[in-house]
Amino acid sequence: NGPALRHLLDLSKFLAIITEEQFRFHTARSGNDFAKWVEAILGDKACAKALVAAKTIATARGAIARALKRYNV
């Protein structure tokens, strides 16, 4: 029920406005939705692994920022 994400920039923007409750919903139930999407759709295993390890919005945003830097974005 959130915005449609097409790339890491979209995820970065979403993580900038997401609530803690929304973050927990997407990361605490049956796995990490963000990590699954990044690995399955974008094929970025390193970023997906970092997202699985991220326990806060801030650390998830850092993982996305590092991935974007690797892509020179």
Side-chain angles (χ1 to χ4, degrees):
N1 289 336
L5 305 177
R6 295 174 302 211
H7 44 72
L8 282 179
L9 283 174
D10 288 343
L11 181 53
S12 177
K13 290 175 186 177
F14 183 60
L15 289 173
I17 62 167
I18 195 171
T19 66
E20 286 291 332
E21 182 179 6
Q22 290 170 312
F23 182 77
R24 282 191 306 275
F25 175 82
H26 287 286
T27 59
R29 51 192 186 106
S30 61
N32 185 312
D33 294 336
F34 304 128
K36 288 178 184 178
W37 177 75
V38 166
E39 185 169 357
I41 303 303
L42 303 179
D44 189 333
K45 291 182 182 191
C47 183
K49 184 176 178 180
L51 286 170
V52 167
K55 302 304 178 202
T56 66
I57 296 170
T59 54
R61 289 174 63 193
I64 298 300
R66 287 188 300 280
L68 289 171
K69 189 173 183 177
R70 283 195 321 270
Y71 296 123
N72 294 316
V73 176

